[in-house]
Amino acid sequence: MPRNIGRSTPSTSRRRQTSPSPYNSFMKWSVLILTTYALVIVLWQHSQITDAPDLAWIISSTKDAFIRGGESSYSSLSKKSGLSRSWLLGEENVLEDDDEDDALEQSDPNDGGEEDALEQSGPNDGGEEDEEGAIIPIDLSVNFLKLITKAPGAPPEPIMAPSASKARSPEDFLPVVVPSEINFRWAHRAREGSRQENSSKIKAYRIIVRKSEIMNEQGGSVVWDSKKINVEDETDGAPDSVDWGGSTKVGQILEWQLQVWDAKDRSNSSNWSKFAVGPESDGWKGKWITHPSDMDTFDKKKSGDSSWDECGLWKLRRPLPLFRTKIKSSDLMSLKTGEISSVLLVISGLGSFRASFDGVPLSTSGPIDPPFTDYSKRVMYRGFDVSSFVLGENEHVESHVIGVTMGSGWWDHRPVSGMAKPKLLPRGPATVIAQVIVTYVSGETRVVGQTGEDGMGRESNWQVSRGHIRESDLFTGEMVDLSVLGDMEGWDTSKGWSDNSKVTAVGGPDPYQEINKWIQPVAYKTEVTGEERKQTMAMQAKAMDRKDGTVFPKRQHFAAPIGKLVPSEIPPVMAMERIAPDEIHDLGGGRWLLDYGKAFSGMLHFDEGVPTPVIPDEKKYPRAHGFKAASEQGDSFITVIYGESLEMTTGDINRVLVAGLGLHDGGPRHVSKKGTPNNSYCFPDDHENVLSQKDIYVVPKASRADNSALFSQARQSHFTTHSFRFAEVCCSAEPPANAHALLYRTAVPEWGRFDSSNVLINGGYELVKNAMNSNMLSVQSDCPH
């Protein structure tokens, strides 16, 4: 009957209770037996090890392993628990390939990976039966900084002048410390196949520090040896860090090695890692220098009635300057002190800088160097080991040239107004400080090539000129004059140097007349004090009433003060990924859309050069790619527009630059507010009512060089960064060949991983990580521009 559907009568219930199914009984007993067996196995395994993880965790993870099955389950369980796969499977001498790969990826190749440890410990690979230690030291750092031999996403080597040196910088980032603060840290991991009780903790450690001498194959002399220190003698076990216990001198380049002992008193050693000792803030002989014309724009007497026009003065400081100096080899050598042990260049520049030695770039670091700080309080400097340029086969080179290319950075960016308050940041002309510290085998040191006076009342040999970067801005992009770049080829080499090339300051209203005119730089000058700037900022932020502030005298030299110099406290911004485009679309009219699959912060790198430009039909350039001044003069140019998305209505790249400037209209078509170019101070030309991320490569019509050759040698912009997934390149007959994207961020290592069986959760994790990476440009920010 319908009303009885789904219900049991009393008689039916009784029949089910008195006549159980044989199949159900069999399943119950099977499940009970299997469960009991699994628990017995887990409990027995738990009793066989010392210091095992929590039992409840093992049972839970073991259940997950049974449910998921497969190699990845054992790999995941062994990683989380610290147990080897051989223990979980009841096998012996089983090498977990996944774990080995993970450990090698996380360890620095110079910091004692698996293969290095095996090489140092001997050829045997007999697991616990050989004399190799169960603990491998990895991730050596000094003051939290690791040596970076090469950035993971470093682009191919740029085209250099034929006169450039054949030597190369041995690393992308060399940690620099000061003598008063040297602290060693490291991590360690268990060797594959070792027993947990032998690798659970360090029994003893030893630190050895020696001089770095490239001419000595056996390494330099030892300057400090901690000897073997037993951890049992220390109250808290193995230390988190160890302070320097020896003596050192400013300018030394040192190497250090860590040796650790396991529970059976067997040792493993790391590879040698490297660091340098730089000067304290008050130990610099070099002084900040700048271009005379740039310094005049911060002098009220010389800037005249235009002193109020910050945008006009900013344009007078373009093109950006290049600095250089020549050092004679005779100045490096010394009959009194003997042979050279090492040569260290310490340098910094505001806004951003890229240093070269004998025409060779010393690092692939990115658009913000030094890192972003309040430059009126603290400026970080870099150190470069240039020993290979002056020793060995280069020992008989008569002279060497240091070159410095400058960008605007956060120091002198375009003063666009909007919601952002650029005046809250310290501002001044592009400026550089540097010196070379030579260390001799005897231990003596000498400073040469410093900026400013040479210490004897004489002007240094530094020169400055305007160069190939017409404009550089972190927000709006960069403009590069490829003709100037070609004409000044070799400017940072001895062949491109001429003592007769230096002229007196040309001055005048047109800074373009100062291109390739090498003149004497001047000292950076300001009358503004740190306290005055502090109170001014507090008043502008309405954190201080004007009546409570100090009345300071009127300043003639109004550039911001520069803070104390300290070594880089974080790794530089570097190319951490090199990404090929997923798709390239022909948009017509010579315009090409490149899709890189995800949004990030960085720029394009044209591996085979920027494509040769063509002029569109009727000289009508596609949307956003116009360059009015160049078109009127008949110049050739290529433009690159960057954007994070495509407009829904047209499919064009969404090029609006928001970046906290408050210029977005908030509508679906992604345009700037009405009247923005007229109402926004210092709005750039040719941005067509929308503040854009735009790089331009230009060759003037008057250039005598082959245009296609000049474009083919260009590779990338340097002192800007863009937030983008899509990039439009215009205008060329063919798409750019091998145009990779460089993802730039601060080169901090990733210390963890996450994975799950849920695709959405994994995607969310990758999304958040990508956003964090894209916003990590020396400091964590709210936008990746």
Side-chain angles (χ1 to χ4, degrees):
M1 298 175 63
R3 62 178 179 272
N4 290 328
I5 293 176
R7 298 177 64 185
S8 299
T9 62
S11 60
T12 303
S13 299
R14 283 193 295 269
R15 284 195 300 269
R16 288 177 179 172
Q17 293 173 7
T18 57
S19 304
S21 170
Y23 177 77
N24 290 340
S25 298
F26 172 77
M27 289 301 298
K28 288 179 181 180
W29 280 105
S30 297
V31 170
L32 180 60
I33 292 172
L34 286 174
T35 303
T36 303
Y37 175 77
L39 287 174
V40 169
I41 292 296
V42 170
L43 291 172
W44 178 84
Q45 291 174 338
H46 177 67
S47 66
Q48 301 303 306
I49 60 174
T50 305
D51 298 329
D54 180 69
L55 178 60
W57 186 92
I58 293 182
I59 294 174
S60 175
S61 299
T62 307
K63 182 189 74 171
D64 292 340
F66 278 122
I67 293 174
R68 291 195 302 269
E71 290 289 316
S72 61
S73 302
Y74 295 113
S75 174
S76 175
L77 181 56
S78 62
K79 290 175 188 175
K80 294 179 181 178
S81 66
L83 305 177
S84 67
R85 175 172 173 253
S86 59
W87 185 90
L88 289 169
L89 296 179
E91 302 171 1
E92 294 183 0
N93 297 325
V94 177
L95 181 65
E96 179 55 64
D97 293 333
D98 291 339
D99 284 354
E100 180 187 27
D101 293 341
D102 293 343
L104 291 176
E105 288 174 7
Q106 294 177 25
S107 64
D108 190 295
N110 290 322
D111 286 346
E114 176 80 7
E115 295 178 0
D116 297 326
L118 290 174
E119 288 176 5
Q120 296 181 36
S121 299
N124 291 333
D125 189 19
E128 287 293 315
E129 300 303 322
D130 59 25
E131 294 302 317
E132 184 182 0
I135 302 175
I136 299 175
I138 59 173
D139 295 340
L140 275 65
S141 65
V142 181
N143 291 8
F144 295 97
L145 298 173
K146 289 179 58 177
L147 178 74
I148 300 176
T149 305
K150 187 176 182 180
E157 186 175 84
I159 295 177
M160 288 175 276
S163 55
S165 173
K166 298 298 186 292
R168 294 294 182 266
S169 178
E171 55 268 327
D172 257 353
F173 175 64
L174 175 66
V176 178
V177 298
V178 294
S180 60
E181 186 180 1
I182 305 178
N183 185 268
F184 301 102
R185 292 175 180 268
W186 66 88
H188 61 271
R189 65 177 179 85
R191 181 176 59 84
E192 297 297 340
S194 63
R195 295 186 180 277
Q196 195 267 351
E197 63 266 25
N198 295 332
S199 61
S200 59
K201 59 182 179 180
I202 292 176
K203 181 179 180 180
Y205 67 90
R206 178 189 182 190
I207 294 175
I208 304 173
V209 183
R210 71 184 185 187
K211 295 179 181 178
S212 176
E213 297 178 353
I214 64 171
M215 301 303 296
N216 189 344
E217 294 182 358
Q218 303 300 319
S221 58
V222 173
V223 297
W224 179 55
D225 187 344
S226 71
K227 305 300 182 182
K228 183 177 180 181
I229 299 176
N230 292 318
V231 171
E232 289 89 344
D233 298 338
E234 302 196 13
T235 305
D236 299 326
D240 291 331
S241 62
V242 176
D243 291 329
W244 170 268
S247 60
T248 186
K249 288 186 177 181
V250 170
Q252 283 186 322
I253 302 175
L254 304 173
E255 298 173 332
W256 74 288
Q257 184 185 62
L258 175 69
Q259 187 177 9
V260 296
W261 282 262
D262 64 10
K264 285 193 173 182
D265 207 33
R266 296 171 304 181
S267 68
N268 264 327
S269 297
S270 70
N271 272 0
W272 292 92
S273 190
K274 189 175 174 184
F275 67 98
V277 183
E280 303 271 7
S281 181
D282 57 357
W284 279 76
K285 290 188 176 181
K287 306 296 180 184
W288 291 99
I289 58 173
T290 187
H291 195 290
S293 298
D294 288 352
M295 197 70 253
D296 288 347
T297 63
F298 288 89
D299 184 336
K300 287 187 177 180
K301 287 185 178 180
K302 295 183 178 180
S303 61
D305 294 337
S306 63
S307 60
W308 59 271
D309 183 7
E310 191 173 12
C311 183
L313 295 176
W314 181 82
K315 292 178 179 179
L316 289 177
R317 297 192 289 275
R318 269 76 194 137
L320 284 113
L322 304 171
F323 294 88
R324 69 179 183 181
T325 190
K326 184 170 69 172
I327 302 174
K328 296 180 179 179
S329 295
S330 57
D331 293 336
L332 299 173
M333 306 299 177
S334 173
L335 295 176
K336 180 180 179 181
T337 53
E339 297 181 357
I340 293 175
S341 172
S342 61
V343 184
L344 177 69
L345 167 66
V346 286
I347 184 171
S348 188
L350 295 173
S352 297
F353 76 95
R354 291 174 69 89
S356 62
F357 201 97
D358 288 343
V360 179
L362 294 178
S363 177
T364 62
S365 54
I368 305 175
D369 200 354
F372 184 33
T373 57
D374 183 344
Y375 299 130
S376 66
K377 295 182 178 179
R378 182 171 53 112
V379 179
M380 299 184 194
Y381 68 84
R382 292 278 301 275
F384 299 97
D385 181 358
V386 295
S387 305
S388 59
F389 291 89
V390 302
L391 298 177
E393 61 184 23
N394 297 308
E395 189 172 354
H396 301 292
V397 176
E398 292 184 359
S399 60
H400 304 277
V401 175
I402 300 171
V404 188
T405 306
M406 301 302 297
S408 301
W410 285 107
W411 176 249
D412 194 22
H413 56 83
R414 175 183 282 272
V416 178
S417 65
M419 187 175 70
K421 306 295 182 184
K423 289 187 177 181
L424 293 178
L425 300 176
R427 179 182 294 274
T431 179
V432 66
I433 187 171
Q435 63 189 43
V436 175
I437 308 174
V438 185
T439 301
Y440 301 92
V441 175
S442 64
E444 298 296 318
T445 61
R446 171 189 290 184
V447 175
V448 298
Q450 65 266 33
T451 50
E453 294 184 352
D454 63 0
M456 301 179 66
R458 300 173 301 188
E459 289 294 331
S460 66
N461 201 32
W462 280 84
Q463 298 179 355
V464 62
S465 170
R466 299 206 185 277
H468 58 282
I469 300 180
R470 290 190 183 181
E471 181 175 320
S472 164
D473 184 75
L474 286 176
F475 290 95
T476 56
E478 189 166 288
M479 185 186 302
V480 181
D481 190 324
L482 300 180
S483 176
V484 173
L485 187 62
D487 291 343
M488 298 183 73
E489 182 183 66
W491 65 273
D492 53 353
T493 68
S494 295
K495 187 174 181 179
W497 179 283
S498 173
D499 291 326
N500 297 325
S501 66
K502 188 166 63 175
V503 299
T504 57
V506 293
D510 185 5
Y512 284 87
Q513 298 299 316
E514 298 176 327
I515 293 176
N516 207 6
K517 299 291 184 9
W518 294 99
I519 63 176
Q520 185 81 36
V522 298
Y524 184 91
K525 186 183 296 183
T526 184
E527 297 172 353
V528 180
T529 65
E531 181 60 29
E532 180 178 353
R533 171 170 164 73
K534 177 182 176 181
Q535 291 192 22
T536 301
M537 295 301 100
M539 293 175 188
Q540 290 187 5
K542 298 182 179 180
M544 174 186 286
D545 196 294
R546 292 189 177 275
K547 64 181 181 180
D548 298 328
T550 304
V551 178
F552 295 96
K554 293 183 178 180
R555 306 299 189 186
Q556 176 183 337
H557 302 283
F558 56 92
I562 300 177
K564 67 177 182 178
L565 282 163
V566 298
S568 286
E569 298 171 345
I570 59 174
V573 174
M574 311 189 84
M576 301 303 287
E577 289 185 44
R578 187 163 166 261
I579 307 169
D582 286 349
E583 296 179 307
I584 300 178
H585 300 277
D586 184 1
L587 302 181
R591 187 167 53 136
W592 305 92
L593 177 68
L594 287 73
D595 180 0
Y596 289 92
K598 67 175 182 178
F600 51 89
S601 180
M603 64 194 72
L604 292 193
H605 184 277
F606 299 92
D607 294 3
E608 299 183 25
V610 173
T612 303
V614 296
I615 299 176
D617 295 339
E618 300 181 2
K619 296 184 178 181
K620 291 184 178 180
Y621 281 86
R623 168 185 175 273
H625 291 279
F627 186 5
K628 184 177 180 181
S631 297
E632 291 176 348
Q633 298 171 12
D635 300 344
S636 301
F637 60 91
I638 286 286
T639 54
V640 185
I641 297 291
Y642 298 84
E644 296 179 85
S645 60
L646 301 178
E647 292 187 4
M648 297 178 62
T649 53
T650 64
D652 290 327
I653 199 167
N654 173 13
R655 60 193 175 100
V656 66
L657 171 62
V658 186
L661 294 175
L663 304 178
H664 193 286
D665 71 344
R669 294 185 63 84
H670 306 287
V671 296
S672 294
K673 292 178 180 177
K674 184 177 181 181
T676 289
N678 298 324
N679 300 329
S680 180
Y681 183 67
C682 211
F683 197 90
D685 298 331
D686 300 306
H687 278 231
E688 300 177 3
N689 302 322
V690 178
L691 193 64
S692 304
Q693 303 177 96
K694 185 175 183 179
D695 290 342
I696 303 176
Y697 302 88
V698 60
V699 174
K701 182 179 180 180
S703 174
R704 291 169 291 184
D706 178 19
N707 282 9
S708 60
L710 291 175
F711 281 100
S712 67
Q713 294 185 20
R715 291 296 183 264
Q716 68 174 97
S717 53
H718 286 296
F719 299 109
T720 184
T721 181
H722 306 296
S723 174
F724 73 104
R725 168 182 168 179
F726 302 95
E728 283 183 11
V729 180
C730 186
C731 298
S732 63
E734 299 292 333
N738 289 331
H740 286 81
L742 304 180
L743 185 157
Y744 278 98
R745 68 167 174 84
T746 302
V748 293
E750 291 188 33
W751 282 10
R753 297 182 181 185
F754 173 83
D755 191 19
S756 75
S757 59
N758 190 300
V759 176
L760 292 178
I761 294 177
N762 293 341
Y765 166 75
E766 291 297 330
L767 179 66
V768 172
K769 187 176 75 170
N770 188 62
M772 295 289 289
N773 286 338
S774 297
N775 286 278
M776 195 182 298
L777 296 173
S778 72
V779 294
Q780 197 71 43
S781 61
D782 63 342
C783 63
H785 298 87

